[in-house]
Amino acid sequence: MIDKKQSRMRRARQTRAKIAELKAVRLAVYRSNGHIYAQVIDPTAKVLATASTLEPEVRKQVPNGATVKAAAVVGQRIAEKAKAQGVEKVAFDRGGFKYHGRVKALAEAAREAGLKF
């Protein structure tokens, strides 16, 4: 019997394999019950930029990290940090999570802030 986490990890592995094949910079998203995290990772697995609801600047804006609004703030920040590193185009790695709710809010905010994927 495959549990929920194992099937999510299987989906994530397939996505990462495809992104690795493309040799693209990826925007990896992880969502826990209390927070959401985003990282921009280059093809050599080097982390170029990070943003999460744990950062003090984000916590000032949104007290609770487990909301769609908080995810949008993180999306905005990760796009700004990525662009500061000279990254314009990324492949979106949703980490096996469904593309809706917080994951979708983060992606759309990053797109609005100028990241292309």
Side-chain angles (χ1 to χ4, degrees), residues 4-53:
K4 198 172 175 181
K5 185 177 180 191
Q6 282 178 315
S7 50
R8 182 182 75 77
M9 293 311 291
R10 184 182 55 80
R11 285 191 302 271
R13 213 173 17 254
Q14 289 172 332
T15 306
R16 291 194 188 114
K18 183 63 182 172
I19 293 171
E21 218 175 86
L22 298 170
K23 294 193 178 2
V25 175
R26 68 188 169 106
L27 170 58
V29 173
Y30 177 73
R31 128 184 114 67
S32 67
N33 285 337
H35 295 282
I36 192 157
Y37 311 82
Q39 293 181 316
V40 174
I41 306 167
D42 78 354
T44 62
K46 187 169 155 247
V47 176
L48 303 174
T50 63
S52 79
T53 50

Side-chain angles (χ1 to χ4, degrees), residues 27 88-93 99 106-112 115-117:
L27 170 58
E88 289 281 325
K89 200 170 183 340
V90 294
F92 188 64
D93 175 4
Y99 185 81
L106 189 148
E108 287 175 350
R111 275 196 193 102
E112 278 172 32
L115 268 188
K116 291 180 175 59
F117 52 94

